[in-house]
Amino acid sequence: MNQQQIQLKSRPDGWPTTETFDFKEVEIEEPKQGEVSVKTLYLSVDPYMRGRMSDAKSYVEPFEVGKPLNGGIVAEVVKSESDQLAVGDVVTGALDWQEYNTVSAESVRKLNLHGASPSTALGVLGMPGLTAYFGMYHIGEPQKGETVVVSGAAGAVGSIAGQLAKRKGARVVGIVGSKEKEDYIKSLGFDEAVNYKDESFASALKEACPDGIDVYFENVGGDVSDQVWPLLNTFARVPVCGAISAYNLEQGEQDIGARVQGFLVKSRVKMQGFLVGDFRDHYRDAYAELSGIVQSGELTFEETIHQGLDKVPDAFLGLFKGENIGKQLVQVSESK
Amino acid sequence: MNQQQIQLKSRPDGWPTTETFDFKEVEIEEPKQGEVSVKTLYLSVDPYMRGRMSDAKSYVEPFEVGKPLNGGIVAEVVKSESDQLAVGDVVTGALDWQEYNTVSAESVRKLNLHGASPSTALGVLGMPGLTAYFGMYHIGEPQKGETVVVSGAAGAVGSIAGQLAKRKGARVVGIVGSKEKEDYIKSLGFDEAVNYKDESFASALKEACPDGIDVYFENVGGDVSDQVWPLLNTFARVPVCGAISAYNLEQGEQDIGARVQGFLVKSRVKMQGFLVGDFRDHYRDAYAELSGIVQSGELTFEETIHQGLDKVPDAFLGLFKGENIGKQLVQVSESK
């Protein structure tokens, strides 16, 4: 039996286009001893994947041209040759972008959902939620009464990061790109929302932070963040989670803007890039905490779910156009 | 009796000029109970003082127009109305830029020189030496075999920072602005010296760091540092001590260049601004260590000493023109 697989057709220079993705028909493999076949339920598109489409040295191996793209997927076991997993089990792992994956049972993790939607394993209870947790709690370390600013605040990571800062008693200001997102993050409990597309963004941000900024959770980079540096308080912390505005620069094009060194010295700021994987030793505790506050309803999350494998390229591109609220997902098939 | 005092005539916009400094004749005050009169031996000019000449919010109060400039001075007690200090004692403190200061005995610290020149209290055994120590050891934390790059490597802080990294077994590359300084830092034990004024600077730096950069001790900022970011290794540390290239920007002029966020995420870099005063609790240990290795001859330092109070403005401006090797000082008078 055959299925659709999404391959990297060519490395994008600048924005990904239709030339970036290729839909190919490939065979569904039968599981061998110790393997399972799983059917993709939800496929995660994440900004970091753009980096893997280039061949630049990075923290993960680049995707290969002519090979399937790959990322976080939630899937259901449909055939099992392993005593560790049974048909009907729902699992998650880094899997190829296709309808079915046949892999070693050990390469995926069985989900214990406790009533949560399986999609949460790709969002609030998965990589984005943990990223928010470690960036905010291990690097940002917001204190009661401090001002925390989160950019990309309506996104999968930012929306959680802001709520986690609120839990520590901080005043939280979110930077977003639409009125709808302003309303959304206010509904999550953010104290203020500032729209970077407004002409008055710089002054609005300043007004929203009358006591300066103690933690800046950086997701976007670019002109937006250039306005943040002058507002940083003494001993401010800047967890740098991403810089999505710069991911689609063309070859040779540089990310030029405000140099930060002067601000870092003046206010003795710590700015630190991180990846969720750097905190692997703390996954268990973080997951337990996030899981508890999701179940109790203290942490709110949203998902923007597209339907069908053919929508994956659009869903991916949508990330860079600011289309999604919360976690951007593609539902590829339904659980039986 | 009267003396010369150097006042801030007007706040410079851009580079300080003759309009920045004013020499005024003022009275030498007689010490009251608990006070001493001290004669300036050595006066320290330091890049950070440029910030105090502006009225922008910073970590220290700005200098006041029409009031004396002030900074690190080594002086000799010439009159004492305090039982804590005797005539002939050599002290250091933050004193006004003039020939004699009359101050509370408690506002200065008596030097125990152990044979060292009193000028070292303003350099290797003073603020610059401690700055190098804390930046390199508390933030940079170089490990054996790592590559450490120091900018402003022939300066008061950089020359010590590089030697301290060598002591931990790192490979140390210095960035300087002249052939003379290249030779100087090599004589200190730096493994490589790269001249940022050479046209081939970018490629020379890359060649000097075949294994990338693990610690970048930042003193200069600007175009020079823009070439450093792409070479940073995973988990690199960037103690940000200063950004001297940007200190004389004119009002409204911005420090524009390579944004760092992309590099920080890709390599999970920690970039941290600091001041020596942030490490006050560790002064004693740091001083003891520095003092020991200076006495044993394991730490080498140079001083560029100008003669006479009238040379202070030139000595100060020289800092920004890259004139000095090692610590830039003015000898105002000789010890009796």
Side-chain angles (χ1 to χ4, degrees):
Chain A
M1 213 174 99
N2 284 356
Q3 63 167 337
Q4 289 290 310
Q5 176 183 76
I6 309 178
Q7 299 185 350
L8 180 63
K9 189 172 180 181
S10 62
R11 301 197 184 283
D13 181 19
W15 283 75
T17 64
T18 50
E19 287 307 296
T20 308
F21 305 96
D22 215 357
F23 283 78
K24 289 277 187 175
E25 196 150 297
V26 298
E27 207 180 338
I28 303 174
E29 288 172 37
E30 288 298 314
K32 299 190 201 76
Q33 184 56 38
E35 291 186 337
V36 289
S37 278
V38 302
K39 182 177 72 165
T40 300
L41 303 179
Y42 293 99
L43 181 157
S44 178
V45 288
D46 298 280
Y48 82 88
M49 293 167 172
R50 176 62 187 82
R52 297 190 69 184
M53 292 178 182
S54 303
D55 59 2
K57 172 196 157 199
S58 187
Y59 49 84
V60 275
E61 283 302 294
F63 293 125
E64 283 181 60
V65 173
K67 294 281 171 69
L69 293 155
N70 178 293
I73 279 178
V74 163
E76 185 178 71
V77 177
V78 290
K79 288 184 185 174
S80 179
E81 293 296 334
S82 159
D83 48 15
Q84 291 174 45
L85 291 172
V87 169
D89 281 350
V90 177
V91 298
T92 187
L95 298 171
D96 289 343
W97 284 9
Q98 54 199 21
E99 296 168 275
Y100 293 88
N101 278 274
T102 300
V103 296
S104 142
E106 276 152 20
S107 67
V108 293
R109 177 173 61 85
K110 184 177 168 179
L111 295 178
N112 298 308
L113 293 166
H114 302 297
S117 155
S119 61
T120 58
L122 301 173
V124 63
L125 297 179
M127 186 274 282
L130 289 169
T131 299
Y133 184 97
F134 293 120
M136 189 55 80
Y137 285 170
H138 285 241
I139 300 176
E141 300 185 80
Q143 309 295 312
K144 191 169 156 57
E146 287 191 330
T147 299
V148 173
V149 173
V150 178
S151 58
V157 175
S159 60
I160 306 301
Q163 291 180 80
L164 291 175
K166 280 302 295 176
R167 293 179 63 81
K168 297 293 181 186
R171 193 169 158 279
V172 181
V173 176
I175 301 175
V176 294
S178 73
K179 181 74 180 70
E180 186 191 4
K181 289 179 179 176
E182 288 181 51
D183 295 341
Y184 172 60
I185 66 170
K186 282 190 169 172
S187 79
L188 299 178
F190 281 64
D191 297 280
E192 298 269 357
V194 186
N195 187 335
Y196 71 85
K197 289 182 181 163
D198 286 351
E199 250 180 58
S200 61
F201 167 63
S203 59
L205 180 65
K206 206 170 168 179
E207 270 171 48
C209 305
D211 301 323
I213 298 173
D214 301 292
V215 177
Y216 175 51
F217 193 104
E218 167 70 300
N219 282 312
V220 303
D223 295 342
V224 170
S225 300
D226 289 355
Q227 303 299 332
V228 168
W229 314 137
L231 304 177
L232 292 173
N233 288 333
T234 303
F235 298 123
R237 289 81 66 197
V238 181
V240 185
C241 175
I244 196 169
S245 69
Y247 291 178
N248 290 315
L249 292 177
E250 289 175 30
Q251 201 141 32
E253 200 181 348
Q254 283 188 301
D255 187 18
I256 298 295
R259 290 199 184 99
V260 293
Q261 294 100 306
F263 301 108
L264 299 195
V265 179
K266 194 182 73 173
S267 301
R268 293 102 105 201
V269 174
K270 180 179 78 172
M271 193 168 174
Q272 187 170 351
F274 73 100
L275 291 180
V276 65
D278 302 339
F279 297 92
R280 202 164 282 123
D281 295 347
H282 302 275
Y283 275 5
R284 188 183 295 263
D285 290 347
Y287 180 82
E289 187 172 340
L290 282 173
S291 180
I293 56 181
V294 165
Q295 277 176 49
S296 69
E298 293 166 71
L299 194 67
T300 307
F301 62 94
E302 197 71 48
E303 296 168 334
T304 300
I305 304 181
H306 300 250
Q307 297 295 332
L309 192 71
D310 57 320
K311 293 300 191 310
V312 170
D314 283 347
F316 179 71
L317 284 169
L319 292 170
F320 304 97
K321 297 178 185 156
E323 282 176 3
N324 56 303
I325 282 196
K327 179 67 193 127
Q328 180 94 313
L329 294 169
V330 180
Q331 182 164 26
V332 175
S333 61
E334 301 221 358
S335 179
K336 271 195 291 223
Chain B
M1 212 174 99
N2 285 355
Q3 63 166 337
Q4 290 290 309
Q5 177 182 77
I6 308 178
Q7 298 185 350
L8 180 64
K9 190 172 181 180
S10 63
R11 301 197 183 283
D13 181 20
W15 283 76
T17 65
T18 50
E19 287 306 297
T20 308
F21 304 97
D22 215 357
F23 283 78
K24 290 278 187 174
E25 198 151 296
V26 298
E27 208 181 338
I28 302 175
E29 288 172 36
E30 288 298 316
K32 299 190 201 78
Q33 185 56 40
E35 293 188 336
V36 288
S37 277
V38 301
K39 183 176 71 165
T40 301
L41 303 178
Y42 293 98
L43 182 157
S44 178
V45 287
D46 298 281
Y48 81 88
M49 293 167 172
R50 176 61 187 83
R52 296 189 68 184
M53 292 178 181
S54 304
D55 59 1
K57 173 197 157 200
S58 186
Y59 50 84
V60 275
E61 282 302 294
F63 293 125
E64 283 182 61
V65 174
K67 293 282 172 68
L69 293 156
N70 177 292
I73 278 178
V74 163
E76 184 178 71
V77 177
V78 291
K79 288 183 184 173
S80 178
E81 294 296 335
S82 160
D83 47 14
Q84 291 174 44
L85 290 171
V87 170
D89 282 350
V90 177
V91 299
T92 187
L95 299 171
D96 289 344
W97 283 9
Q98 53 198 22
E99 296 168 274
Y100 294 87
N101 278 273
T102 300
V103 295
S104 144
E106 277 153 17
S107 67
V108 293
R109 177 173 61 85
K110 185 177 167 180
L111 294 178
N112 298 307
L113 293 166
H114 303 297
S117 155
S119 60
T120 57
L122 300 173
V124 62
L125 297 178
M127 186 273 283
L130 290 170
T131 299
Y133 184 96
F134 293 120
M136 189 56 82
Y137 285 170
H138 286 241
I139 301 175
E141 302 184 78
Q143 308 295 312
K144 192 169 155 58
E146 287 191 330
T147 298
V148 173
V149 173
V150 178
S151 58
V157 175
S159 59
I160 306 302
Q163 291 180 79
L164 292 176
K166 280 302 297 177
R167 292 178 63 81
K168 297 292 182 189
R171 193 168 158 279
V172 181
V173 177
I175 301 175
V176 294
S178 73
K179 180 74 180 70
E180 186 192 4
K181 290 179 177 175
E182 288 181 50
D183 294 342
Y184 171 61
I185 65 170
K186 281 191 169 171
S187 79
L188 300 178
F190 281 64
D191 297 280
E192 298 268 357
V194 186
N195 187 336
Y196 71 85
K197 289 180 180 164
D198 286 350
E199 250 180 59
S200 60
F201 167 65
S203 60
L205 180 66
K206 207 170 167 179
E207 270 171 46
C209 306
D211 301 324
I213 298 173
D214 301 292
V215 177
Y216 175 52
F217 193 104
E218 168 70 302
N219 282 311
V220 304
D223 295 342
V224 169
S225 300
D226 290 354
Q227 303 300 331
V228 169
W229 313 138
L231 304 177
L232 292 173
N233 288 333
T234 303
F235 298 124
R237 289 81 66 197
V238 181
V240 184
C241 175
I244 196 169
S245 69
Y247 290 178
N248 291 314
L249 292 178
E250 288 174 33
Q251 202 141 31
E253 201 182 346
Q254 283 188 302
D255 187 18
I256 299 294
R259 289 198 184 99
V260 294
Q261 294 100 305
F263 301 108
L264 299 196
V265 179
K266 192 182 75 172
S267 301
R268 293 102 106 202
V269 174
K270 181 179 77 172
M271 193 167 175
Q272 188 169 352
F274 72 101
L275 291 179
V276 65
D278 301 339
F279 297 93
R280 205 164 279 124
D281 295 347
H282 302 276
Y283 275 4
R284 189 183 294 264
D285 290 347
Y287 180 81
E289 186 172 342
L290 283 173
S291 183
I293 55 180
V294 165
Q295 278 176 48
S296 68
E298 293 166 73
L299 194 66
T300 307
F301 61 95
E302 197 72 48
E303 295 168 335
T304 299
I305 304 182
H306 299 252
Q307 297 295 332
L309 191 71
D310 58 321
K311 293 299 192 310
V312 170
D314 283 347
F316 178 72
L317 284 169
L319 291 170
F320 303 97
K321 297 177 183 156
E323 281 175 3
N324 56 301
I325 281 197
K327 178 67 193 126
Q328 180 94 312
L329 294 169
V330 180
Q331 183 165 25
V332 174
S333 61
E334 300 222 1
S335 179
K336 272 195 290 226

